Amino acid sequence: MNTRKTGYVWNERYAWHDTGRGVGIAPAGGFNQPYQTFESAESKSRLAALIEVSGMIDQLTRLPVLEASDEQLLRVHTPEHVESIRVQSAGRGGDGGDGFTPFGPGSFEIAKLAAGGTIAAATAVWRGEVDNAYALVRPPGHHARREMGMGYCLFSNVCVAIEELRAVHGVERVAIIDYDVHHGNGAQQIFWDDPNVLAISLHQDRLFPQDTGGLDEVGGPGAEGSNINIPLPAGSGNGAYLAAIESVAGPALRAFKPQQIMVSSGFDPGAVDPLGCMSVTSGGFKAMAQAILAIADEVCEGKVVFSHEGGYSPVHVPFCGLAVLEALTGHETGVEDPFGMSFDDSPAHPLKPWQDEVIQLAAGIGARLGL
């Protein structure tokens, strides 16, 4: 495997984003015994720890991070949304806007640092300072809309980074591949009418949000074909995800010819994730990363940035994330995923006819729209 210079973003402050004592996705109270929200620091901080103790950290180029400025956020979000997060964060904290995105004091600055981390990764790759990059940031971003936070996301980290590339560095065409188990509704809304950003979302059909992510959502007038959804059936494993990359994302990216690819990297399609019903293994995530890298080599000189999104199994996410970094760097750590004995040989992995039907429908829509 060829080695590559891979940029890496992590800051301990990401672990200090406080989502409170909820009950998974519900607030505590009544019969809901206080516990924690699914989006806690555990999965991300444990991934950062495994990157260090595995020796992978020695193969990475640490990238300095600054908070995103108001100007950078306002290229994507409304002034009212930015101000709402600022004011609540300066007090006791509050909610991102949908009633299910809690945060505590100081999270405004941490969310700005998360957006800034993805900007740093995208900029370093574009300038050629590194070949590719992984931004291990928190809070996540792919559900955040222009006017509100949503689904644990305060600001749209990937979209803010894309607008920085376009405004400051003159980049014209950028593509997003989102394999988080939940639909990438934020990027879809933000770039709905923009033909110069291709947004591709692989997700569990009608999981969250339940009213977005359909095959027929292809972009607004003048931007038809710039939005591609692949709503995979529950239970899909490695075969379905790789087939979606090969049959849908690959042809679309080759036709679109982006100058840089951004990946919304969510590990909640993992086999033991509490918020999804998919069956992807760490090896499956690694294979997807390798496939995306191969496409990036073809279309944009390998310029690809992975920005961390969901993934709610503290014990499995670290092995999935490390596998992706092995793909990005070309360095094998020798770390074995202890969950492989349970899931690597699962009958869920071969592509099923009902999964392929969705994939071929998505591929057909893309082909008819010139992708």
Side-chain angles (χ1 to χ4, degrees):
M1 184 182 290
N2 295 327
T3 58
R4 304 174 191 244
K5 187 176 182 180
T6 298
Y8 174 59
V9 169
W10 167 253
N11 188 296
E12 179 62 23
R13 286 178 66 196
Y14 296 143
W16 296 8
H17 169 57
D18 183 8
T19 52
R21 300 288 291 170
V23 187
I25 60 173
F31 292 107
N32 296 340
Q33 181 180 353
Y35 181 54
Q36 63 182 23
T37 61
F38 284 121
E39 205 294 299
S40 72
E42 287 297 302
S43 62
K44 288 79 174 177
S45 60
R46 288 171 65 94
L47 171 53
L50 185 59
I51 289 169
E52 181 173 341
V53 301
S54 68
M56 176 58 78
I57 191 67
D58 298 325
Q59 309 298 319
L60 303 173
T61 300
R62 291 294 296 263
L63 300 175
V65 182
L66 298 174
E67 292 180 6
S69 66
D70 283 10
E71 178 185 3
Q72 289 168 324
L73 294 178
L74 291 170
R75 294 190 188 116
V76 170
H77 295 290
T78 64
E80 293 79 10
H81 173 52
V82 173
E83 189 62 19
S84 173
I85 304 301
R86 186 199 317 272
V87 170
Q88 293 180 83
S89 174
R92 293 187 173 184
D95 186 87
D98 66 341
F100 297 94
T101 305
F103 63 89
S107 281
F108 176 67
E109 288 76 17
I110 300 174
K112 291 177 73 175
L113 195 68
T118 304
I119 289 172
T123 301
V125 169
W126 177 252
R127 288 175 172 169
E129 297 167 2
V130 292
D131 298 319
N132 55 51
Y134 197 97
L136 179 51
V137 298
R138 179 174 179 264
H142 78 140
H143 291 309
R145 296 161 54 98
R146 285 194 179 276
E147 76 285 4
M148 62 182 286
M150 186 176 185
Y152 300 137
C153 303
L154 297 183
F155 301 127
S156 181
N157 303 322
V158 165
C159 296
V160 171
I162 287 173
E163 293 295 39
E164 177 75 4
L165 290 177
R166 301 208 295 179
V168 176
H169 301 285
V171 180
E172 295 178 356
R173 296 181 316 283
V174 183
I176 303 169
I177 301 176
D178 185 336
Y179 56 67
D180 188 288
V181 79
H182 306 103
H183 176 230
N185 65 293
Q188 173 172 301
Q189 186 231 24
I190 289 164
F191 293 124
W192 182 253
D193 295 315
D194 192 331
N196 293 315
V197 177
L198 172 64
I200 304 171
S201 178
L202 293 71
H203 51 271
Q204 184 179 322
D205 186 22
R206 285 168 290 182
L207 179 60
F208 180 84
Q210 292 187 343
D211 58 348
T212 68
L215 287 163
D216 58 340
E217 297 164 18
V218 297
E224 295 89 351
S226 65
N227 193 83
I228 299 175
N229 288 319
I230 312 168
L232 294 169
S236 296
N238 296 348
Y241 273 81
L242 288 170
I245 297 290
E246 177 181 346
S247 298
V248 185
L253 289 165
R254 294 183 185 99
F256 183 71
K257 295 181 174 59
Q259 294 165 281
Q260 188 153 309
I261 296 172
M262 304 291 294
V263 180
S264 289
S265 177
F267 294 113
D268 35 16
V272 296
D273 195 272
L275 279 184
C277 299
M278 297 307 209
S279 302
V280 180
T281 66
S282 60
F285 286 111
K286 184 174 185 177
M288 277 199 290
Q290 290 169 331
I292 292 168
L293 283 169
I295 297 167
D297 285 341
E298 286 184 55
V299 303
C300 57
E301 301 178 325
K303 295 183 183 298
V304 61
V305 175
F306 286 63
S307 184
H308 200 93
E309 297 287 357
Y312 305 98
S313 170
V315 295
H316 194 212
V317 164
F319 298 99
C320 298
L322 186 66
V324 167
L325 281 168
E326 288 183 342
L328 292 182
T329 61
H331 173 73
E332 299 291 334
T333 62
V335 172
E336 294 188 11
D337 181 353
F339 295 91
M341 67 178 71
S342 297
F343 299 107
D344 283 350
D345 295 325
S346 169
H349 295 312
L351 179 65
K352 306 298 189 296
W354 55 90
Q355 299 163 353
D356 192 46
E357 180 180 0
V358 175
I359 292 168
Q360 295 309 317
L361 284 171
I365 291 170
R368 287 197 299 276
L369 294 170
L371 295 173

